[in-house]
Amino acid sequence: MTGENPVDPVPRKAAVLGSPVAHSKSPALHRAAYRALGLRGWTYEAIDTTAEQLPDRVSRAGAEWIGFSVTMPGKLAALAFADERTRRAELIGSANTLVRTDAGWRADCTDVDGMTGALAAAGLPAGASRAVVIGAGGTALPTLAALADAGVSAVSIVARSAQRARGACDLAEQLGLSVEVVPFDGGATVRQACAAADVTVSTVPAPAAEALIPAVTATPRLIDVIYDPWPTPLAAATAAAGGTVVGGLVMLLNQAYSQVEQFTGRPAPKAAMAAAVGLAL
């Protein structure tokens, strides 16, 4: 209950930075958290900000600003701007979180926590060893870190070319993962990889994933990072084939838990935050 929590007497501000950003669900999640924690006067807004504008925007933030969530296209700029960085943000090479500290601004990548929560929701078993990651862009990198944290030892990266997958492969190797690249148009090869995997993660836009539907439906578990519109054709087909499917809203929720805890110093009120985006825990 809100009345059972201490009330912070000093109003604070936070926001999500990105462009475009009006569609973001982060304000709903963070505002619900602040209400549940009894943090009256705390605000959270969405501010349209390009990567080029981000350093000036954050530099000008007064002492009442405690943190920023960062979405595209500002994640690389956030990492470069920060005064200090967590190890995982440095390893992944991007940051979705800036937290004010005594030393300035700390960059973190709670996208890893988002994927960790999605893997748990998908029922990834202890001892899982193989995964397929579709796509090799920015979302694939925290996905690889979460898979490594979960104990996965081998990953197949489905990509248009080995060159496009180079950055993801380099990170996988740094994380101690055995990695192979499977061509996006590999057909039977993609299906074999998905059938042998404990989980498949699609990090590509819904239209791009449609060509892979016949192959991906062989997987026992699918995490699709898209959450709007939902379900995607890939998610619907996999569920119809009997696979367990988790969507991007679960990822968004779990990465926000970690941001709220870093911004407030208190445990995230998970049920209240989930309810704010129509999910039940």
Side-chain angles (χ1 to χ4, degrees):
M1 298 291 292
T2 299
E4 296 173 353
N5 293 303
V7 175
D8 191 318
V10 181
R12 301 295 187 189
K13 293 183 177 182
V16 56
L17 307 180
S19 186
V21 77
H23 66 285
S24 175
K25 294 185 181 295
S26 291
L29 289 168
H30 283 257
R31 291 169 186 168
Y34 302 161
R35 286 194 300 270
L37 292 171
L39 299 175
R40 297 172 189 165
W42 283 48
T43 63
Y44 187 102
E45 57 189 300
I47 304 175
D48 196 281
T49 305
T50 65
E52 293 74 20
Q53 293 169 332
L54 185 144
D56 182 66
R57 177 84 66 188
V58 180
S59 294
R60 291 176 178 272
E64 72 276 14
W65 286 88
I66 54 161
F68 294 95
S69 309
V70 183
T71 188
M72 297 302 292
K75 294 185 178 184
L76 298 180
L79 185 72
F81 168 81
D83 301 289
E84 56 182 312
R85 303 162 185 84
T86 63
R87 180 180 179 277
R88 64 183 181 179
E90 289 185 328
L91 186 65
I92 292 163
S94 69
N96 74 325
T97 307
L98 289 170
V99 184
R100 188 186 289 279
T101 71
D102 291 340
W105 292 96
R106 182 182 71 241
D108 191 21
C109 183
T110 71
D111 287 329
V112 178
D113 302 316
M115 182 54 67
T116 295
L119 292 170
L124 187 70
S129 61
R130 299 194 63 85
V132 172
V133 177
I134 300 171
T139 306
L141 304 184
T143 295
L144 291 169
L147 288 169
D149 288 345
V152 169
S153 58
V155 63
S156 299
I157 298 175
V158 180
R160 297 289 183 187
S161 68
Q163 181 61 34
R164 289 191 181 188
R166 187 67 263 164
C169 289
D170 288 346
L171 175 60
E173 291 169 357
Q174 290 182 62
L175 293 166
L177 296 169
S178 170
V179 59
E180 66 170 354
V181 178
V182 178
F184 205 91
D185 57 358
T189 306
V190 177
R191 184 173 179 84
Q192 289 170 4
C194 291
D198 297 290
V199 63
T200 296
V201 182
S202 176
T203 70
V204 300
E210 288 190 34
L212 295 175
I213 288 176
V216 175
T217 52
T219 192
R221 299 172 188 84
L222 170 69
I223 297 171
D224 191 333
V225 304
I226 305 300
Y227 64 80
D228 187 20
W230 184 260
T232 63
L234 179 65
T238 303
T244 298
V245 176
V246 173
L249 201 56
V250 174
M251 290 178 54
L252 180 71
L253 185 61
N254 278 273
Q255 64 83 28
Y257 291 157
S258 184
Q259 287 183 341
V260 165
E261 290 175 354
Q262 292 189 53
F263 290 176
T264 69
R266 302 179 187 181
K270 296 182 178 181
M273 293 175 68
V277 291
L279 293 179
L281 297 184

